[in-house]
Amino acid sequence: MAEQQESQNEYGMSTDVDNQYLTFILANEEYAIEILRVQEIRCWQSVTTLPNARDYIKGVINIRGTIVPIVDLRMRFNMESMEYGPMTVVIVVKVLEENRERVMGIVVDGVSDTHEIPQENIKPAPDVGDKTDIQFINGLATVNESMLILLDIDKLLISGELNGII
Amino acid sequence: MATILTVDDSTSMRQMVSFTLKQAGYEVDEATDGVEGLEKAQSSRFNLVITDVNMPRMDGITLVGELRSLPGYQFTPILLLTTEAGADKKKQGKEAGATGWLVKPFNPDQLLNTIKKVIG
Amino acid sequence: MTIDLSQFHSTFFEESLEGLDAMESNLLNLDINDNDPDIINSIFRAAHSIKGGSGTFGFIAITEFTHVQETLLDQIRSSEREVTQDIINILLESVDCVRDMLLSEKDNRECDFDQASSVRVQMENVLNGHAVPEVELNDSEDIPEVSVEGWRINFAPHLHMIKTGNDPVRILRELSSLGLMEVQVNTEKLPALPQYDPESCYLSWNIELFGDIQEGYVREIFDWVEDDCDLTISPLSQVDEKLEDVVAAKGDGEVKQILDTTEVPVKEQVVNGKKQRAVDPDQEVVPDKKHANSVAECSSIRVSTEKVDELINLVGELVITQSMIGELGKDFSASKIENMMDGLSQLERHTRELQESVMRIRMLPISFSFNRFPRLVHDLGSKLGKKVELKMSGENTELDKTVLEKISDPLVHLVRNSLDHGLETPEIRTASGKPEKGVLLLNAFHKGGSIIIEISDDGAGLNKEKIRNKAIQSGLIGDEDNLSDEKIYDLIFQPGFSTADEVSDVSGRGVGMDVVRKNIRELGGAVEIASTPGEGSIITIKLPLTLAILDGQLVRVGSETYIIPLISIIESLQAQEKNIKTIVDNAEVYRQRDEYIHIVRLHETFNIKPDSQSINDGLIVMVEGEGKKIGLLVDELLGQQQVVIKSLETNYKRIDGVSGATILGNGTVAIILDVPGLVAMSRSEIINDNNNKVA
């Protein structure tokens, strides 16, 4: 990929959407997903459970007439699930599978910020821990001295071999 | 700009003729058979009429005859769309008072050339 | 200016295919003993239109084929040839060929040219081997080109010529575009003013046209008026003094060299001489056979303007009601509550009417599907050597466009089955005291919120023995199994039961009865067979009127709300534990009258915590799917309402036992149960057990 010029508008803010990420907190770790994939951010609302679904699929909600499945990310990562409270947030994302686009929501502890992360700042994740986890990590980046884990949202939510949702 | 009436029971032919003429700047009205064509000719004034021959309710040749008996249409150019097998149709058309004919199949340029010659 | 003709192609295809359908049904209705000239003319016109259009839009193969068709039809039309059954059959086949050619152009796929050639040969044979006059595609006849300096033209219009709309000035103008021209008008015939009729043409002209111009071009200009004038055209064979003058005066180098007088053939062209249709090469029709357009599914609907007007009215009323409520909302106080409630109920009414109206837009009469059957029955009947009378009723019954499209193939399969296996040959029928002609009846009507389609025949009915044996053969049932008639008939819907079609299959889509039932189920419908041996069979298909909306019964199981389609509900009842028997492996059945109905505990199926596990505390909703009954155990019945069906599969995936979801008035999502799916799930439970198979 060619070097992307950092473009700025009159407020000194970057206008380069391709490298923008939204960061969120989950179990004291910071994760990041491409901003272009984020459709909206919502408060937690009660879901309708789906029969015989995996445990990390909490159920479905209605977003302006469309049925959207909600995934508990903690449970997806086999972590302990947390009580949902007023601060609990659902990030609604667009997930791509071959030639299809789906809309899904992920429950996270909280949303942080948006950051510009240029390609060259992204380092590959080291090979530690569960092999499966590596599969949906696109890389690591350091921003303001914190480490962000960049997620591959498609692999995370849709993946046949990895016990994915579908 | 001149106003042309096109009469044909085939929608695609009508569309083609209509579109071609409109592109060239003419005003165009359409009718799906002789009866409708006659009605339209009676309620508006046309500078030229193009009509197919084989149509339900009233065929083109009958339409020509009817048009000629309308006040104001005695000298209006009326063209028949005919196929090559219809040499006798041409004769019948002339006898009914048609101005001339266009042989099917024709392409838009041929259509425009002919129209241009007739009404400029 | 080049105009892209391909923009008209889809209209041409559409109207031509319609025309072919009209031709086909007219041919089928044509009585060879009583030639209705109107019908014959309609058939001719349809073929003629297709020929004209295909020529215009450059589909040469179709033009040539339909030309032969048209010639034959023309002979029939002008009573030169009598109609025979043979001719009708050949023409029917020719309709198929044209349809195939059109579709191959439209969808950019292969066409069966062999078939087309063979049918064309048959048509030509009928025309007694007389070579069908070739289609002239703007070819010019060969007239030897001769070099000339020009032409001398005497043009004397007849009195009435202007009344044909031909203006002499136009003709002169056209001539002048060919080359330098000298015109002399002749006013000899002009009468005195009192006798002068302004609508007659008394003038004539002597024209000299200079240039090496082909005679054909000159003649062409007079094409339209050759019968309405006296015309002589002769070459300027010598260098005239006039010519020299002209050259000297204009200094124009256009005039060619002087020809040797003896070389120039003097063709005295008399008025009705051979004409040449001169062709400007640039004007030739360029065939555009393979359009680059991909086969985009152009899905569209024709809607009557009535339906659209109704919609517009309803929306108008809706807007009024909405603004009325808006007004009320402005300075809202408790005193206005009644008005508000009125407004809201009006809103509800309008919304409902609007919804019904919009749904009707998607509705098409089932005749769109039924219409193919006269031809199909006619052809298949002949092929199978069976005499069949096809009766259709309820063709105007409307159903959703998508449902209509998807039910067509299954219907075809069922009709073919009736013809193939149901109806007997004339000999067998007469032998059993039945009339030679079998009757096949297609009927459609609305019932409740569904459309019912019946296919019935007065044939031999289903052969229980044969089916049973076949099932045993295929291992579907055991030899000692004792099945009721109903269950035996139901076996034909099992996969693996499909008998290979003995008739050569036109569609080759591999449709078996199991696929038929699957397709119908996918539409939310059901299919059943009833039969009386020796007397006939009736296949009944039940389909929802629309795929988008459902009348549902809300039920609660634990903390979850589900929707059961009302169409599937037979009754709801409170059951007593004592009426429930447990059979093999926990399968529970409820005895109702003389039936045993399997009870499905929804809380188990869906893994929910119910209010109570005891049947006494719950309610059983008896539902029916695929001709089978099961009882669904729920905690409570909630209200009934119409719901909009939303897809779960768009963002999630298909769940067994679930047909979709909906959004309730309070904004939450509720799951819609798939009754046939639940029935299948429960049945497989039972059949998995090796012992007694009970309902």
Side-chain angles (χ1 to χ4, degrees), chain C residues 14 16 86 96 139 160 225 318 376 435 514-515 547 603:
Chain C
E14 204 182 302
S16 300
D86 239 8
D96 288 338
D139 277 341
H160 70 270
V225 297
L318 197 60
L376 189 141
D514 57 321
V515 178
L547 296 179
H603 62 87

Side-chain angles (χ1 to χ4, degrees), chain A residues 102-148:
Chain A
R102 290 182 212 256
V103 176
M104 294 187 180
I106 50 177
V107 182
V108 302
D109 295 350
V111 171
S112 297
D113 213 340
T114 58
H115 293 293
E116 162 96 22
I117 306 179
Q119 261 306 105
E120 60 269 20
N121 291 7
I122 303 177
K123 310 276 176 269
D127 198 352
V128 290
D130 205 331
K131 276 227 182 65
T132 45
D133 285 349
I134 293 289
Q135 303 289 335
F136 27 81
I137 293 182
N138 272 341
L140 302 172
T142 308
V143 174
N144 297 339
E145 290 164 22
S146 1
M147 190 184 76
L148 299 176

Side-chain angles (χ1 to χ4, degrees), chain A:
Chain A
M1 211 195 300
E3 283 288 328
Q4 301 238 340
Q5 289 280 55
E6 191 169 321
S7 30
Q8 295 196 337
N9 62 15
E10 67 248 40
Y11 301 106
M13 285 173 63
S14 176
T15 52
D16 214 338
V17 183
D18 282 339
N19 288 337
Q20 293 264 9
Y21 289 80
L22 174 74
T23 55
F24 60 87
I25 313 262
L26 191 75
N28 288 325
E29 296 279 358
E30 268 198 85
Y31 296 86
I33 49 180
E34 297 161 56
I35 201 106
L36 286 174
R37 296 303 202 90
V38 177
Q39 181 175 291
E40 63 194 274
I41 300 173
R42 295 168 75 94
C43 288
W44 167 259
Q45 69 189 80
S46 65
V47 291
T48 301
T49 43
L50 289 172
N52 297 323
R54 290 192 219 271
D55 61 350
Y56 53 78
I57 301 176
K58 304 303 292 177
V60 288
I61 60 172
N62 157 33
I63 298 184
R64 297 181 297 278
T66 309
I67 313 276
V68 177
I70 306 293
V71 171
D72 183 317
L73 216 51
R74 274 172 173 260
M75 290 171 83
R76 179 78 180 91
F77 287 151
N78 290 318
M79 300 176 194
E80 245 183 63
S81 168
M82 233 179 58
E83 280 258 349
Y84 291 168
M87 293 308 292
T88 307
V89 155
V90 175
I91 306 178
V92 182
V93 292
K94 287 181 264 212
V95 183
L96 294 175
E97 179 195 16
E98 275 162 51
N99 46 6
R100 252 183 91 161
E101 193 184 275
R102 290 182 212 256
V103 176
M104 294 187 180
I106 50 177
V107 182
V108 302
D109 295 350
V111 171
S112 297
D113 213 340
T114 58
H115 293 293
E116 162 96 22
I117 306 179
Q119 261 306 105
E120 60 269 20
N121 291 7
I122 303 177
K123 310 276 176 269
D127 198 352
V128 290
D130 205 331
K131 276 227 182 65
T132 45
D133 285 349
I134 293 289
Q135 303 289 335
F136 27 81
I137 293 182
N138 272 341
L140 302 172
T142 308
V143 174
N144 297 339
E145 290 164 22
S146 1
M147 190 184 76
L148 299 176
I149 306 170
L150 273 54
L151 284 178
D152 181 332
I153 201 77
D154 297 328
K155 288 228 182 75
L156 180 65
L157 295 176
I158 298 190
S159 167
E161 326 89 69
L162 297 177
N163 278 336
I165 205 178
I166 305 295

Side-chain angles (χ1 to χ4, degrees), chain C residues 491-502:
Chain C
L491 283 170
I492 67 176
F493 286 115
Q494 293 302 324
F497 199 87
S498 321
T499 54
D501 246 87
E502 287 137 4

Side-chain angles (χ1 to χ4, degrees), chain C residues 430-444:
Chain C
T430 359
S432 32
K434 288 184 179 174
E436 222 189 20
K437 244 188 181 173
V439 174
L440 182 64
L441 172 62
L442 287 177
N443 186 21

Side-chain angles (χ1 to χ4, degrees), chain B residues 64-81:
Chain B
V64 172
E66 294 288 328
L67 282 173
R68 285 289 179 227
S69 59
L70 284 182
Y73 281 90
Q74 290 163 306
F75 307 105
T76 311
I78 306 178
L79 302 179
L80 287 171
L81 298 179

